[in-house]
Amino acid sequence: MLGIFQQSSLRIEIAASEADLRQSLTDSGKLQQWLSPLRLERGLPEQLQPGLTFTSWAGPIAIQQTVDQVQPNSLRLLLSQGVDGFHEWYWGDGWVQSRLEGVSLLPLNLAQTASLLQLRRFLASK
């Protein structure tokens, strides 16, 4: 894979319950609503489950994601193609944390920051 190794961990306060955060991060319909402009492939099952592999697109760049773990307070995705690495999510009442490591030409920290802010905006509008 071409690119540079990047790693980033961000944690923000968010006015949402643990249950709302879990649903927003593990329900494929909710993910599609707040992850824009990242597009998820169509036909995903309602809930992300370990072993599920799907593709998302950042513009023309495909990112394959495999759900490695889904726990009550965490989610781990293995990434390949446009990003070679992993993305971990942790959450609780009033906070969410994202840890991203990978090799890519994409600016991962910028994308990670934007996605956390979009998640905050999405949950604030509920």
Side-chain angles (χ1 to χ4, degrees):
M1 153 130 291
L2 292 176
I4 57 173
F5 176 73
Q6 303 170 61
Q7 59 184 2
S8 179
S9 292
L10 298 173
R11 180 179 173 133
I12 63 169
E13 291 184 11
I14 197 161
S17 70
E18 179 181 318
D20 285 342
L21 285 161
R22 180 182 312 112
Q23 185 178 34
S24 296
L25 291 164
T26 62
D27 178 288
S28 61
K30 300 270 187 216
L31 274 172
Q32 185 59 69
Q33 290 178 40
W34 67 264
L35 265 179
S36 179
L38 193 69
R39 296 181 335 269
L40 301 178
E41 74 180 55
R42 297 177 192 261
L44 289 175
E46 186 175 318
Q47 291 293 311
L48 300 184
Q49 297 294 327
L52 173 67
T53 297
F54 60 94
T55 303
S56 59
W57 288 269
I61 299 171
I63 302 167
Q64 186 172 345
Q65 302 185 47
T66 300
V67 180
D68 184 41
Q69 296 176 10
V70 179
Q71 303 293 327
N73 295 84
S74 66
L75 170 68
R76 180 178 167 94
L77 302 167
L78 304 178
L79 310 174
S80 58
Q81 294 181 1
V83 179
D84 188 16
F86 67 88
H87 194 173
E88 295 175 332
W89 292 91
Y90 302 93
W91 59 85
D93 282 329
W95 63 273
V96 65
Q97 180 174 313
S98 169
R99 179 173 173 230
L100 181 58
E101 286 189 15
V103 175
S104 182
L105 293 172
L106 298 170
L108 298 183
N109 184 267
L110 179 62
Q112 180 188 32
T113 301
S115 68
L116 283 168
L117 294 174
Q118 286 173 220
L119 176 60
R120 177 190 275 168
R121 225 174 293 127
F122 173 75
L123 287 166
S125 69
K126 287 181 77 176

